[in-house]
Amino acid sequence: MKENQFSLKRCLSNLDLVIAGIVLAILIILTFAGVIWRYFLSKPFVWLEEVQLACMVWIVFAAAGAAFRLGNHVAIEMIVDLLPRFLQKIVQVLISVIVVVVLGYLLYNTVGFVEVFFRTGRSTSIMKIPYWLIYGIAIPAYVDMVVSYFYSVIKGVKSEAKEAASSGE
């Protein structure tokens, strides 16, 4: 029983990666099927581009929090590493403030953006997928990014480049 709880806990704590993985699998399958239908059966999926766009948006936003949590965002740490220890701490606090302010700004504006799509009922031309559904993933994703960022700061998650350098690879 304990093993199932651990798996469920792990799955829930990586829900963003699970969602991104499922949507990526859907994107790959549909794209592959689209190639087969277009070139071998001469019957292209006219709706495929709309679904691919939605999938790419969902993959990017769903996986962004995980990138923070796992230390996989691009970072130029060389300059900060050259600073004295006390200045490194100050720069880290400044970076944290900037990250939260930028993500908060994006969240605030995205809520308005998605709300306009919801109110107007605007949707894609072929599949009639509501744009609020496509871009609505950004709202929980920004919250996930902030939570994941602070998780990585608290846990001391290092970027992959720093880990490789410190382990002598």
Side-chain angles (χ1 to χ4, degrees):
M1 183 70 175
K2 200 157 188 103
E3 191 174 302
N4 287 339
Q5 289 176 343
F6 178 75
S7 297
L8 179 63
K9 180 182 175 188
R10 206 165 149 202
C11 183
L12 289 176
S13 66
N14 289 309
L15 187 60
D16 49 4
L17 283 177
V18 171
I19 291 169
I22 290 169
V23 176
L24 179 61
I26 291 168
L27 176 64
I28 291 168
I29 291 166
L30 287 177
T31 301
F32 183 72
V35 169
I36 301 295
W37 259 256
R38 176 182 298 270
Y39 291 106
F40 296 112
L41 303 176
S42 298
K43 295 182 190 257
F45 297 145
V46 293
W47 48 266
L48 186 58
E49 186 177 344
E50 289 180 357
V51 176
Q52 288 171 323
L53 167 77
C55 285
M56 285 188 266
V57 169
W58 271 67
I59 291 165
V60 167
F61 278 106
F68 272 115
R69 197 170 53 255
L70 301 172
N72 288 332
H73 271 295
V74 174
I76 303 172
E77 300 164 330
M78 184 177 71
I79 296 171
V80 176
D81 290 344
L82 293 173
L83 297 172
R85 257 299 182 240
F86 76 96
L87 281 179
Q88 286 180 11
K89 298 288 185 191
I90 292 170
V91 169
Q92 286 298 334
V93 169
L94 183 61
I95 289 171
S96 294
V97 169
I98 291 170
V99 166
V100 171
V101 167
V102 168
L103 289 175
Y105 175 79
L106 291 171
L107 173 63
Y108 176 78
N109 286 302
T110 300
V111 168
F113 183 67
V114 171
E115 193 264 331
V116 167
F117 281 142
F118 187 77
R119 218 175 349 100
T120 60
R122 189 161 173 220
S123 61
T124 60
S125 57
I126 297 170
M127 294 284 294
K128 302 295 182 209
I129 303 169
Y131 279 113
W132 68 264
L133 185 61
I134 294 172
Y135 296 106
I137 184 69
I139 295 169
Y142 287 131
V143 174
D144 182 36
M145 284 184 238
V146 171
V147 170
S148 295
Y149 175 74
F150 282 113
Y151 171 84
S152 70
V153 169
I154 291 166
K155 292 290 186 179
V157 174
K158 294 180 183 177
S159 70
E160 288 180 356
K162 259 191 176 175
E163 281 189 22
S166 66
S167 67
E169 290 180 11

Short mmCIF file of all heavy atoms in Angstrom, two decimals, residues 100-168:
data_model
loop_
_atom_site.label_atom_id
_atom_site.label_comp_id
_atom_site.label_asym_id
_atom_site.label_seq_id
_atom_site.Cartn_x
_atom_site.Cartn_y
_atom_site.Cartn_z
N VAL A 100 9.73 36.55 -9.63
CA VAL A 100 8.36 36.63 -9.12
C VAL A 100 7.61 37.81 -9.74
O VAL A 100 6.44 37.67 -10.12
CB VAL A 100 8.35 36.70 -7.57
CG1 VAL A 100 6.96 37.01 -7.04
CG2 VAL A 100 8.87 35.40 -6.99
N VAL A 101 8.26 38.94 -9.88
CA VAL A 101 7.60 40.12 -10.47
C VAL A 101 7.24 39.84 -11.94
O VAL A 101 6.12 40.13 -12.37
CB VAL A 101 8.49 41.38 -10.34
CG1 VAL A 101 7.99 42.51 -11.21
CG2 VAL A 101 8.57 41.81 -8.88
N VAL A 102 8.17 39.29 -12.68
CA VAL A 102 7.90 39.01 -14.10
C VAL A 102 6.78 37.97 -14.25
O VAL A 102 5.85 38.16 -15.05
CB VAL A 102 9.18 38.55 -14.84
CG1 VAL A 102 8.87 37.98 -16.20
CG2 VAL A 102 10.16 39.71 -14.96
N LEU A 103 6.85 36.88 -13.49
CA LEU A 103 5.81 35.87 -13.58
C LEU A 103 4.46 36.41 -13.09
O LEU A 103 3.41 36.09 -13.67
CB LEU A 103 6.20 34.61 -12.80
CG LEU A 103 7.33 33.79 -13.43
CD1 LEU A 103 7.73 32.64 -12.51
CD2 LEU A 103 6.95 33.28 -14.80
N GLY A 104 4.47 37.24 -12.06
CA GLY A 104 3.24 37.88 -11.60
C GLY A 104 2.64 38.80 -12.65
O GLY A 104 1.43 38.81 -12.88
N TYR A 105 3.49 39.56 -13.31
CA TYR A 105 3.05 40.45 -14.39
C TYR A 105 2.44 39.64 -15.53
O TYR A 105 1.37 39.98 -16.05
CB TYR A 105 4.24 41.28 -14.89
CG TYR A 105 3.93 42.15 -16.08
CD1 TYR A 105 3.25 43.35 -15.94
CD2 TYR A 105 4.31 41.74 -17.36
CE1 TYR A 105 2.96 44.14 -17.04
CE2 TYR A 105 4.02 42.51 -18.46
CZ TYR A 105 3.35 43.72 -18.31
OH TYR A 105 3.05 44.48 -19.40
N LEU A 106 3.12 38.57 -15.91
CA LEU A 106 2.61 37.72 -16.99
C LEU A 106 1.29 37.07 -16.59
O LEU A 106 0.36 36.99 -17.41
CB LEU A 106 3.64 36.66 -17.37
CG LEU A 106 4.91 37.18 -18.06
CD1 LEU A 106 5.95 36.07 -18.18
CD2 LEU A 106 4.58 37.77 -19.42
N LEU A 107 1.19 36.60 -15.36
CA LEU A 107 -0.05 36.00 -14.87
C LEU A 107 -1.19 37.00 -14.92
O LEU A 107 -2.27 36.71 -15.42
CB LEU A 107 0.14 35.46 -13.46
CG LEU A 107 -1.13 34.94 -12.76
CD1 LEU A 107 -1.71 33.76 -13.51
CD2 LEU A 107 -0.82 34.56 -11.33
N TYR A 108 -0.93 38.19 -14.40
CA TYR A 108 -1.96 39.24 -14.37
C TYR A 108 -2.47 39.53 -15.78
O TYR A 108 -3.68 39.61 -16.02
CB TYR A 108 -1.39 40.51 -13.72
CG TYR A 108 -2.34 41.67 -13.74
CD1 TYR A 108 -3.39 41.75 -12.83
CD2 TYR A 108 -2.19 42.70 -14.67
CE1 TYR A 108 -4.27 42.82 -12.85
CE2 TYR A 108 -3.06 43.77 -14.70
CZ TYR A 108 -4.10 43.81 -13.78
OH TYR A 108 -4.96 44.87 -13.81
N ASN A 109 -1.57 39.71 -16.72
CA ASN A 109 -1.97 40.03 -18.10
C ASN A 109 -2.61 38.84 -18.81
O ASN A 109 -3.50 39.01 -19.64
CB ASN A 109 -0.79 40.57 -18.89
CG ASN A 109 -0.46 41.98 -18.49
OD1 ASN A 109 -1.30 42.86 -18.57
ND2 ASN A 109 0.75 42.19 -18.02
N THR A 110 -2.16 37.64 -18.48
CA THR A 110 -2.72 36.45 -19.11
C THR A 110 -4.16 36.23 -18.67
O THR A 110 -5.00 35.81 -19.47
CB THR A 110 -1.86 35.21 -18.80
OG1 THR A 110 -0.55 35.45 -19.31
CG2 THR A 110 -2.43 33.96 -19.41
N VAL A 111 -4.45 36.51 -17.40
CA VAL A 111 -5.83 36.37 -16.92
C VAL A 111 -6.76 37.25 -17.75
O VAL A 111 -7.82 36.80 -18.20
CB VAL A 111 -5.93 36.70 -15.41
CG1 VAL A 111 -7.38 36.84 -14.98
CG2 VAL A 111 -5.23 35.64 -14.58
N GLY A 112 -6.36 38.49 -17.99
CA GLY A 112 -7.16 39.40 -18.81
C GLY A 112 -7.28 38.91 -20.24
O GLY A 112 -8.35 38.97 -20.86
N PHE A 113 -6.20 38.42 -20.78
CA PHE A 113 -6.15 37.92 -22.15
C PHE A 113 -7.09 36.72 -22.31
O PHE A 113 -7.92 36.68 -23.24
CB PHE A 113 -4.69 37.52 -22.43
CG PHE A 113 -4.40 37.03 -23.81
CD1 PHE A 113 -4.49 37.87 -24.90
CD2 PHE A 113 -3.98 35.73 -24.00
CE1 PHE A 113 -4.19 37.42 -26.17
CE2 PHE A 113 -3.68 35.27 -25.26
CZ PHE A 113 -3.78 36.12 -26.35
N VAL A 114 -7.01 35.76 -21.41
CA VAL A 114 -7.86 34.57 -21.47
C VAL A 114 -9.32 34.95 -21.22
O VAL A 114 -10.22 34.40 -21.85
CB VAL A 114 -7.36 33.50 -20.47
CG1 VAL A 114 -8.33 32.35 -20.35
CG2 VAL A 114 -5.99 32.98 -20.90
N GLU A 115 -9.53 35.90 -20.34
CA GLU A 115 -10.90 36.35 -20.04
C GLU A 115 -11.55 36.96 -21.27
O GLU A 115 -12.74 36.73 -21.53
CB GLU A 115 -10.86 37.36 -18.88
CG GLU A 115 -12.21 37.66 -18.28
CD GLU A 115 -12.85 38.90 -18.86
OE1 GLU A 115 -12.13 39.82 -19.30
OE2 GLU A 115 -14.09 38.95 -18.89
N VAL A 116 -10.81 37.69 -22.07
CA VAL A 116 -11.34 38.26 -23.32
C VAL A 116 -11.74 37.13 -24.27
O VAL A 116 -12.81 37.17 -24.89
CB VAL A 116 -10.32 39.21 -23.98
CG1 VAL A 116 -10.71 39.54 -25.41
CG2 VAL A 116 -10.16 40.48 -23.17
N PHE A 117 -10.88 36.12 -24.40
CA PHE A 117 -11.22 34.98 -25.25
C PHE A 117 -12.47 34.27 -24.74
O PHE A 117 -13.32 33.85 -25.53
CB PHE A 117 -10.07 33.98 -25.33
CG PHE A 117 -8.97 34.37 -26.27
CD1 PHE A 117 -7.65 34.12 -25.95
CD2 PHE A 117 -9.25 34.98 -27.48
CE1 PHE A 117 -6.64 34.45 -26.82
CE2 PHE A 117 -8.23 35.32 -28.37
CZ PHE A 117 -6.93 35.07 -28.03
N PHE A 118 -12.58 34.13 -23.43
CA PHE A 118 -13.74 33.46 -22.85
C PHE A 118 -15.01 34.26 -23.11
O PHE A 118 -16.04 33.72 -23.51
CB PHE A 118 -13.53 33.25 -21.34
CG PHE A 118 -14.59 32.43 -20.70
CD1 PHE A 118 -14.60 31.05 -20.85
CD2 PHE A 118 -15.59 33.03 -19.95
CE1 PHE A 118 -15.59 30.28 -20.27
CE2 PHE A 118 -16.58 32.26 -19.36
CZ PHE A 118 -16.59 30.88 -19.52
N ARG A 119 -14.93 35.57 -22.87
CA ARG A 119 -16.10 36.45 -23.03
C ARG A 119 -16.56 36.53 -24.48
O ARG A 119 -17.75 36.52 -24.77
CB ARG A 119 -15.76 37.85 -22.52
CG ARG A 119 -16.88 38.52 -21.81
CD ARG A 119 -16.57 39.86 -21.17
NE ARG A 119 -15.19 40.28 -21.09
CZ ARG A 119 -14.60 41.15 -21.93
NH1 ARG A 119 -15.29 41.66 -22.91
NH2 ARG A 119 -13.35 41.48 -21.78
N THR A 120 -15.61 36.61 -25.41
CA THR A 120 -15.97 36.76 -26.83
C THR A 120 -16.30 35.44 -27.49
O THR A 120 -16.89 35.42 -28.57
CB THR A 120 -14.83 37.43 -27.61
OG1 THR A 120 -13.64 36.64 -27.52
CG2 THR A 120 -14.56 38.84 -27.09
N GLY A 121 -15.89 34.32 -26.89
CA GLY A 121 -16.16 33.02 -27.47
C GLY A 121 -15.34 32.72 -28.71
O GLY A 121 -15.70 31.86 -29.51
N ARG A 122 -14.24 33.44 -28.88
CA ARG A 122 -13.40 33.24 -30.06
C ARG A 122 -12.81 31.83 -30.06
O ARG A 122 -12.38 31.32 -29.03
CB ARG A 122 -12.29 34.29 -30.06
CG ARG A 122 -11.50 34.29 -31.33
CD ARG A 122 -10.74 35.57 -31.52
NE ARG A 122 -9.89 35.38 -32.68
CZ ARG A 122 -8.66 35.80 -32.78
NH1 ARG A 122 -8.13 36.48 -31.79
NH2 ARG A 122 -7.96 35.58 -33.85
N SER A 123 -12.79 31.23 -31.24
CA SER A 123 -12.28 29.86 -31.35
C SER A 123 -11.55 29.69 -32.68
O SER A 123 -11.61 30.54 -33.55
CB SER A 123 -13.43 28.86 -31.25
OG SER A 123 -14.36 29.06 -32.29
N THR A 124 -10.87 28.55 -32.81
CA THR A 124 -10.14 28.27 -34.04
C THR A 124 -11.13 28.08 -35.18
O THR A 124 -12.29 27.72 -34.97
CB THR A 124 -9.25 27.02 -33.88
OG1 THR A 124 -10.07 25.90 -33.59
CG2 THR A 124 -8.21 27.22 -32.79
N SER A 125 -10.67 28.29 -36.40
CA SER A 125 -11.59 28.32 -37.53
C SER A 125 -12.11 26.94 -37.95
O SER A 125 -13.26 26.82 -38.36
CB SER A 125 -10.93 29.00 -38.73
OG SER A 125 -9.72 28.35 -39.05
N ILE A 126 -11.32 25.91 -37.84
CA ILE A 126 -11.76 24.59 -38.34
C ILE A 126 -12.33 23.73 -37.22
O ILE A 126 -13.46 23.24 -37.31
CB ILE A 126 -10.60 23.87 -39.04
CG1 ILE A 126 -10.17 24.68 -40.27
CG2 ILE A 126 -11.00 22.46 -39.46
CD1 ILE A 126 -8.90 24.21 -40.93
N MET A 127 -11.56 23.54 -36.16
CA MET A 127 -11.98 22.65 -35.07
C MET A 127 -12.89 23.34 -34.05
O MET A 127 -13.47 22.68 -33.20
CB MET A 127 -10.76 22.09 -34.34
CG MET A 127 -9.89 21.16 -35.16
SD MET A 127 -10.58 19.54 -35.35
CE MET A 127 -10.55 18.92 -33.70
N LYS A 128 -12.95 24.64 -34.11
CA LYS A 128 -13.75 25.43 -33.17
C LYS A 128 -13.30 25.21 -31.72
O LYS A 128 -14.10 25.18 -30.80
CB LYS A 128 -15.25 25.15 -33.31
CG LYS A 128 -15.79 25.41 -34.70
CD LYS A 128 -15.71 26.87 -35.05
CE LYS A 128 -16.29 27.13 -36.41
NZ LYS A 128 -15.70 28.26 -37.07
N ILE A 129 -11.98 25.05 -31.55
CA ILE A 129 -11.42 24.92 -30.20
C ILE A 129 -11.41 26.31 -29.60
O ILE A 129 -10.83 27.24 -30.18
CB ILE A 129 -9.99 24.35 -30.23
CG1 ILE A 129 -9.95 22.99 -30.94
CG2 ILE A 129 -9.43 24.24 -28.82
CD1 ILE A 129 -8.54 22.50 -31.23
N PRO A 130 -12.02 26.51 -28.44
CA PRO A 130 -12.01 27.84 -27.84
C PRO A 130 -10.57 28.26 -27.48
O PRO A 130 -9.81 27.48 -26.91
CB PRO A 130 -12.85 27.69 -26.57
CG PRO A 130 -13.55 26.38 -26.70
CD PRO A 130 -12.77 25.55 -27.65
N TYR A 131 -10.23 29.49 -27.84
CA TYR A 131 -8.88 29.98 -27.54
C TYR A 131 -8.61 30.05 -26.04
O TYR A 131 -7.48 29.89 -25.61
CB TYR A 131 -8.63 31.34 -28.18
CG TYR A 131 -8.26 31.26 -29.63
CD1 TYR A 131 -9.11 31.75 -30.62
CD2 TYR A 131 -7.07 30.67 -30.04
CE1 TYR A 131 -8.78 31.68 -31.95
CE2 TYR A 131 -6.72 30.58 -31.37
CZ TYR A 131 -7.58 31.09 -32.33
OH TYR A 131 -7.24 31.01 -33.64
N TRP A 132 -9.66 30.27 -25.23
CA TRP A 132 -9.43 30.30 -23.78
C TRP A 132 -8.96 28.95 -23.28
O TRP A 132 -8.21 28.86 -22.33
CB TRP A 132 -10.67 30.78 -23.02
CG TRP A 132 -11.83 29.83 -23.05
CD1 TRP A 132 -12.90 29.88 -23.90
CD2 TRP A 132 -12.05 28.69 -22.21
NE1 TRP A 132 -13.76 28.83 -23.66
CE2 TRP A 132 -13.25 28.09 -22.62
CE3 TRP A 132 -11.34 28.12 -21.17
CZ2 TRP A 132 -13.78 26.96 -22.01
CZ3 TRP A 132 -11.85 26.99 -20.56
CH2 TRP A 132 -13.05 26.42 -20.98
N LEU A 133 -9.40 27.87 -23.96
CA LEU A 133 -8.96 26.53 -23.57
C LEU A 133 -7.50 26.29 -23.97
O LEU A 133 -6.74 25.67 -23.23
CB LEU A 133 -9.87 25.49 -24.23
CG LEU A 133 -9.64 24.04 -23.85
CD1 LEU A 133 -9.87 23.84 -22.35
CD2 LEU A 133 -10.57 23.14 -24.64
N ILE A 134 -7.13 26.81 -25.14
CA ILE A 134 -5.74 26.64 -25.58
C ILE A 134 -4.79 27.42 -24.69
O ILE A 134 -3.80 26.89 -24.20
CB ILE A 134 -5.58 27.10 -27.05
CG1 ILE A 134 -6.38 26.19 -27.99
CG2 ILE A 134 -4.11 27.12 -27.45
CD1 ILE A 134 -6.45 26.68 -29.42
N TYR A 135 -5.08 28.69 -24.46
CA TYR A 135 -4.17 29.55 -23.71
C TYR A 135 -4.43 29.59 -22.21
O TYR A 135 -3.63 30.13 -21.45
CB TYR A 135 -4.19 30.97 -24.29
CG TYR A 135 -3.68 31.00 -25.69
CD1 TYR A 135 -4.54 31.17 -26.77
CD2 TYR A 135 -2.32 30.82 -25.96
CE1 TYR A 135 -4.06 31.17 -28.08
CE2 TYR A 135 -1.84 30.81 -27.26
CZ TYR A 135 -2.72 31.00 -28.31
OH TYR A 135 -2.24 30.99 -29.59
N GLY A 136 -5.52 28.97 -21.77
CA GLY A 136 -5.84 28.93 -20.35
C GLY A 136 -4.84 28.16 -19.51
O GLY A 136 -4.74 28.37 -18.31
N ILE A 137 -4.09 27.28 -20.14
CA ILE A 137 -3.05 26.52 -19.42
C ILE A 137 -2.01 27.46 -18.81
O ILE A 137 -1.37 27.12 -17.82
CB ILE A 137 -2.37 25.49 -20.37
CG1 ILE A 137 -1.35 24.62 -19.63
CG2 ILE A 137 -1.66 26.18 -21.52
CD1 ILE A 137 -1.91 23.66 -18.66
N ALA A 138 -1.87 28.65 -19.38
CA ALA A 138 -0.85 29.58 -18.89
C ALA A 138 -1.13 30.02 -17.45
O ALA A 138 -0.18 30.23 -16.68
CB ALA A 138 -0.77 30.80 -19.81
N ILE A 139 -2.37 30.13 -17.07
CA ILE A 139 -2.70 30.62 -15.73
C ILE A 139 -2.19 29.67 -14.64
O ILE A 139 -1.42 30.09 -13.77
CB ILE A 139 -4.22 30.92 -15.61
CG1 ILE A 139 -4.57 32.07 -16.56
CG2 ILE A 139 -4.60 31.25 -14.18
CD1 ILE A 139 -6.06 32.30 -16.75
N PRO A 140 -2.59 28.39 -14.64
CA PRO A 140 -2.01 27.51 -13.62
C PRO A 140 -0.50 27.29 -13.82
O PRO A 140 0.22 27.03 -12.85
CB PRO A 140 -2.78 26.20 -13.77
CG PRO A 140 -3.40 26.25 -15.12
CD PRO A 140 -3.58 27.69 -15.45
N ALA A 141 -0.03 27.42 -15.06
CA ALA A 141 1.40 27.22 -15.32
C ALA A 141 2.24 28.30 -14.65
O ALA A 141 3.31 28.01 -14.12
CB ALA A 141 1.67 27.19 -16.82
N TYR A 142 1.79 29.55 -14.67
CA TYR A 142 2.55 30.62 -14.00
C TYR A 142 2.61 30.39 -12.50
O TYR A 142 3.64 30.60 -11.87
CB TYR A 142 1.97 32.00 -14.31
CG TYR A 142 2.24 32.47 -15.72
CD1 TYR A 142 1.23 32.96 -16.51
CD2 TYR A 142 3.53 32.42 -16.25
CE1 TYR A 142 1.48 33.38 -17.81
CE2 TYR A 142 3.79 32.85 -17.54
CZ TYR A 142 2.76 33.33 -18.32
OH TYR A 142 3.01 33.74 -19.59
N VAL A 143 1.50 29.94 -11.93
CA VAL A 143 1.49 29.62 -10.49
C VAL A 143 2.46 28.47 -10.22
O VAL A 143 3.26 28.52 -9.28
CB VAL A 143 0.06 29.27 -10.02
CG1 VAL A 143 0.06 28.79 -8.58
CG2 VAL A 143 -0.87 30.47 -10.20
N ASP A 144 2.43 27.45 -11.07
CA ASP A 144 3.35 26.31 -10.94
C ASP A 144 4.80 26.76 -11.07
O ASP A 144 5.67 26.28 -10.35
CB ASP A 144 3.02 25.26 -12.01
CG ASP A 144 3.90 24.02 -11.92
OD1 ASP A 144 4.25 23.62 -10.80
OD2 ASP A 144 4.23 23.46 -12.98
N MET A 145 5.06 27.71 -11.97
CA MET A 145 6.43 28.20 -12.14
C MET A 145 6.93 28.89 -10.87
O MET A 145 8.07 28.67 -10.46
CB MET A 145 6.50 29.17 -13.32
CG MET A 145 6.47 28.50 -14.67
SD MET A 145 6.67 29.72 -15.98
CE MET A 145 5.17 29.45 -16.89
N VAL A 146 6.09 29.72 -10.25
CA VAL A 146 6.51 30.41 -9.02
C VAL A 146 6.76 29.39 -7.91
O VAL A 146 7.79 29.44 -7.23
CB VAL A 146 5.46 31.46 -8.59
CG1 VAL A 146 5.77 32.01 -7.21
CG2 VAL A 146 5.38 32.60 -9.60
N VAL A 147 5.83 28.46 -7.72
CA VAL A 147 5.99 27.44 -6.68
C VAL A 147 7.24 26.61 -6.95
O VAL A 147 8.04 26.35 -6.05
CB VAL A 147 4.73 26.55 -6.59
CG1 VAL A 147 4.96 25.34 -5.71
CG2 VAL A 147 3.54 27.36 -6.12
N SER A 148 7.42 26.19 -8.20
CA SER A 148 8.58 25.37 -8.56
C SER A 148 9.88 26.15 -8.42
O SER A 148 10.91 25.58 -8.04
CB SER A 148 8.44 24.86 -9.99
OG SER A 148 7.34 23.98 -10.09
N TYR A 149 9.84 27.44 -8.73
CA TYR A 149 11.05 28.26 -8.57
C TYR A 149 11.47 28.29 -7.10
O TYR A 149 12.64 28.06 -6.79
CB TYR A 149 10.83 29.67 -9.09
CG TYR A 149 12.00 30.56 -8.83
CD1 TYR A 149 13.17 30.41 -9.57
CD2 TYR A 149 11.99 31.50 -7.80
CE1 TYR A 149 14.28 31.19 -9.31
CE2 TYR A 149 13.09 32.28 -7.54
CZ TYR A 149 14.23 32.14 -8.30
OH TYR A 149 15.34 32.90 -8.03
N PHE A 150 10.52 28.56 -6.21
CA PHE A 150 10.86 28.61 -4.79
C PHE A 150 11.24 27.24 -4.25
O PHE A 150 12.10 27.14 -3.38
CB PHE A 150 9.75 29.26 -3.97
CG PHE A 150 9.77 30.76 -4.11
CD1 PHE A 150 8.75 31.43 -4.75
CD2 PHE A 150 10.84 31.50 -3.62
CE1 PHE A 150 8.78 32.81 -4.89
CE2 PHE A 150 10.89 32.87 -3.76
CZ PHE A 150 9.85 33.53 -4.40
N TYR A 151 10.64 26.20 -4.77
CA TYR A 151 11.05 24.84 -4.40
C TYR A 151 12.51 24.63 -4.76
O TYR A 151 13.29 24.12 -3.95
CB TYR A 151 10.17 23.81 -5.12
CG TYR A 151 10.65 22.39 -4.96
CD1 TYR A 151 10.32 21.64 -3.84
CD2 TYR A 151 11.47 21.80 -5.93
CE1 TYR A 151 10.77 20.34 -3.69
CE2 TYR A 151 11.93 20.51 -5.78
CZ TYR A 151 11.59 19.79 -4.67
OH TYR A 151 12.05 18.50 -4.52
N SER A 152 12.89 25.04 -5.97
CA SER A 152 14.28 24.85 -6.40
C SER A 152 15.25 25.70 -5.58
O SER A 152 16.36 25.26 -5.29
CB SER A 152 14.44 25.15 -7.89
OG SER A 152 14.30 26.52 -8.15
N VAL A 153 14.82 26.88 -5.18
CA VAL A 153 15.68 27.73 -4.34
C VAL A 153 15.83 27.12 -2.96
O VAL A 153 16.95 27.02 -2.43
CB VAL A 153 15.10 29.17 -4.25
CG1 VAL A 153 15.82 29.98 -3.18
CG2 VAL A 153 15.18 29.88 -5.60
N ILE A 154 14.73 26.69 -2.37
CA ILE A 154 14.76 26.11 -1.02
C ILE A 154 15.56 24.80 -1.00
O ILE A 154 16.36 24.56 -0.10
CB ILE A 154 13.32 25.89 -0.49
CG1 ILE A 154 12.67 27.25 -0.22
CG2 ILE A 154 13.32 25.03 0.77
CD1 ILE A 154 11.17 27.19 -0.01
N LYS A 155 15.35 23.96 -2.00
CA LYS A 155 16.04 22.67 -2.07
C LYS A 155 17.47 22.80 -2.60
O LYS A 155 18.22 21.82 -2.57
CB LYS A 155 15.27 21.68 -2.95
CG LYS A 155 13.96 21.26 -2.37
CD LYS A 155 14.15 20.37 -1.18
CE LYS A 155 12.83 19.82 -0.69
NZ LYS A 155 12.96 18.93 0.43
N GLY A 156 17.83 23.97 -3.11
CA GLY A 156 19.18 24.17 -3.62
C GLY A 156 19.45 23.42 -4.91
O GLY A 156 20.55 22.92 -5.13
N VAL A 157 18.45 23.35 -5.77
CA VAL A 157 18.60 22.66 -7.05
C VAL A 157 19.60 23.42 -7.92
O VAL A 157 19.49 24.63 -8.09
CB VAL A 157 17.23 22.54 -7.77
CG1 VAL A 157 17.41 21.95 -9.17
CG2 VAL A 157 16.26 21.73 -6.95
N LYS A 158 20.57 22.70 -8.43
CA LYS A 158 21.58 23.31 -9.30
C LYS A 158 21.24 23.02 -10.75
O LYS A 158 20.61 22.01 -11.06
CB LYS A 158 22.97 22.73 -9.01
CG LYS A 158 23.51 23.04 -7.66
CD LYS A 158 24.89 22.41 -7.51
CE LYS A 158 25.47 22.63 -6.13
NZ LYS A 158 26.76 21.96 -6.00
N SER A 159 21.69 23.91 -11.64
CA SER A 159 21.51 23.64 -13.06
C SER A 159 22.35 22.43 -13.44
O SER A 159 23.30 22.07 -12.75
CB SER A 159 21.92 24.86 -13.89
OG SER A 159 23.32 25.03 -13.84
N GLU A 160 21.99 21.81 -14.55
CA GLU A 160 22.73 20.63 -14.98
C GLU A 160 24.20 20.95 -15.26
O GLU A 160 25.07 20.15 -14.99
CB GLU A 160 22.08 20.03 -16.23
CG GLU A 160 20.76 19.35 -15.93
CD GLU A 160 20.10 18.76 -17.15
OE1 GLU A 160 20.62 18.93 -18.27
OE2 GLU A 160 19.06 18.12 -16.99
N ALA A 161 24.47 22.15 -15.78
CA ALA A 161 25.85 22.54 -16.07
C ALA A 161 26.65 22.66 -14.78
O ALA A 161 27.81 22.21 -14.72
CB ALA A 161 25.87 23.86 -16.83
N LYS A 162 26.05 23.25 -13.73
CA LYS A 162 26.76 23.39 -12.45
C LYS A 162 27.00 22.02 -11.82
O LYS A 162 28.06 21.78 -11.25
CB LYS A 162 25.94 24.25 -11.49
CG LYS A 162 26.43 25.65 -11.38
CD LYS A 162 25.76 26.35 -10.23
CE LYS A 162 26.35 27.73 -10.08
NZ LYS A 162 25.70 28.52 -9.08
N GLU A 163 26.02 21.13 -11.91
CA GLU A 163 26.19 19.80 -11.34
C GLU A 163 27.30 19.04 -12.06
O GLU A 163 28.10 18.37 -11.43
CB GLU A 163 24.88 19.01 -11.42
CG GLU A 163 23.90 19.39 -10.34
CD GLU A 163 22.70 18.47 -10.29
OE1 GLU A 163 22.79 17.32 -10.77
OE2 GLU A 163 21.68 18.90 -9.75
N ALA A 164 27.35 19.18 -13.39
CA ALA A 164 28.39 18.51 -14.16
C ALA A 164 29.77 19.07 -13.80
O ALA A 164 30.74 18.32 -13.66
CB ALA A 164 28.12 18.65 -15.66
N ALA A 165 29.86 20.39 -13.65
CA ALA A 165 31.13 21.02 -13.32
C ALA A 165 31.61 20.62 -11.92
O ALA A 165 32.79 20.36 -11.69
CB ALA A 165 31.02 22.53 -13.43
N SER A 166 30.66 20.54 -10.97
CA SER A 166 31.05 20.21 -9.59
C SER A 166 31.39 18.73 -9.43
O SER A 166 32.13 18.36 -8.53
CB SER A 166 29.95 20.62 -8.61
OG SER A 166 28.79 19.84 -8.81
N SER A 167 30.86 17.89 -10.32
CA SER A 167 31.16 16.46 -10.20
C SER A 167 32.37 16.07 -11.04
O SER A 167 32.78 14.92 -11.03
CB SER A 167 29.95 15.62 -10.61
OG SER A 167 29.70 15.77 -11.99
N GLY A 168 32.93 17.03 -11.79
CA GLY A 168 34.16 16.78 -12.55
C GLY A 168 33.93 16.07 -13.87
O GLY A 168 34.84 15.47 -14.41
#
